[in-house]
Amino acid sequence: MSPHGVDSFRLKRPDEIEKMRVSGKILGACLAQLARSVRAGMTTLDLDREAETFIRDHHCIPGFLGYDGFPNSLCVSINDQVVHGIPGPQVINDGDLVSLDCGLILDGWWADSGLSVGCGEASPEVQRLIDTTRQALDLGIAAARPGNHIGDIGAAVQTFVEANGYSVVRQYVAMGSAGTCMNSRRCPTTGIPERATSSSPGTASRSSRWSTSDVRRRGVLDDDWTVVTADRKAVLLLRAHGCDHRVRPEVLTLRPDPVLADVQ
């Protein structure tokens, strides 16, 4: 889910980056707690309630709740669901691949990130998908450095994912962050090196990586939100909200381990 705004893209001041860092730290801790909470027998709505409680307990506003009519604070997508799964009575089972996508607002500053975790012991097939996507995300983050282009980020991810026998989701992209909203700068999961807008210190962006066996064909369920793969194969989401205001990119929503008891 990518909230859109009308703010034009601009470089962030150090004090603004610090505000984004605070909201991102809270979201990282929230996602880490949710990842640890995933267990067989719970419902996706259980996770949504836990997310909203965590967000409000840390004096933040759930970013997704009510956005374009979305009814929850968390997107929970299971197995072949690509993104935007609406929490409800669906029970999570052992072996499920659970994707969590969450956003929050602190003092007007957005943080938005996501991850996928296996429930119980992951099968070798699912674990390989997780490992490949994790490495692809790391390569994409490493490419988000001053002097590079948006196309370099997508190319790094696409090359690695396809070399390992997977494909990337082409229909959905990451959006650049204005901090107070999401602007129109897009970061695709594919790319051509040295193409598209260049990156410079103070640039904020989201690096989103969906990997699967084949998700070039997909559909939307009757709830008008949940996106699934047409071949019903599992899909995995890893997303980092970062800012390359230093020589190396900094992931503002980096998840702590162990989970922070209090991040404010």
Side-chain angles (χ1 to χ4, degrees), residues 35-213:
R36 291 175 180 270
S37 296
V38 172
R39 65 185 184 279
M42 73 185 312
T43 68
T44 55
L45 186 60
D46 291 332
L47 287 169
D48 174 71
R49 288 171 174 164
E50 185 172 346
E52 182 170 357
T53 297
F54 187 101
I55 291 169
R56 295 193 187 279
D57 283 351
H58 288 79
H59 314 294
C60 301
I61 300 170
F64 292 175
L65 185 61
Y67 174 76
D68 269 2
F70 191 77
N72 296 86
S73 301
L74 179 71
C75 296
V76 186
S77 307
I78 308 296
N79 297 327
D80 63 325
Q81 297 174 354
V82 181
V83 71
H84 300 164
I86 297 178
Q90 181 175 1
V91 175
I92 298 172
N93 299 307
D94 272 324
D96 281 346
L97 184 60
V98 183
S99 293
L100 308 171
D101 188 6
C102 194
L104 58 80
I105 306 169
L106 177 64
D107 298 330
W109 290 87
W110 268 92
D112 184 359
S113 186
L115 56 78
S116 292
V117 295
C119 178
E121 185 175 354
S123 67
E125 180 183 5
V126 168
Q127 190 59 54
R128 182 173 180 270
L129 177 61
I130 291 173
D131 293 341
T132 300
T133 307
R134 174 74 256 181
Q135 293 174 68
L137 178 64
D138 290 341
L139 290 171
I141 292 172
R145 62 179 183 268
N148 267 12
H149 295 70
I150 297 298
D152 293 310
I153 300 173
V157 171
Q158 180 184 6
T159 299
F160 183 80
V161 167
E162 292 180 349
N164 281 275
Y166 297 105
S167 63
V168 295
V169 175
R170 299 168 183 266
Q171 294 93 339
Y172 293 90
V173 299
M175 302 297 293
S177 173
T180 54
C181 62
M182 308 305 292
N183 70 10
S184 60
R185 174 172 288 196
R186 299 189 173 194
C187 183
T189 53
T190 61
I192 301 174
E194 299 183 4
R195 292 286 184 90
T197 309
S198 62
S199 180
S200 56
T203 301
S205 63
R206 285 220 322 272
S207 183
S208 297
R209 302 298 163 240
W210 290 273
S211 294
T212 184
S213 299

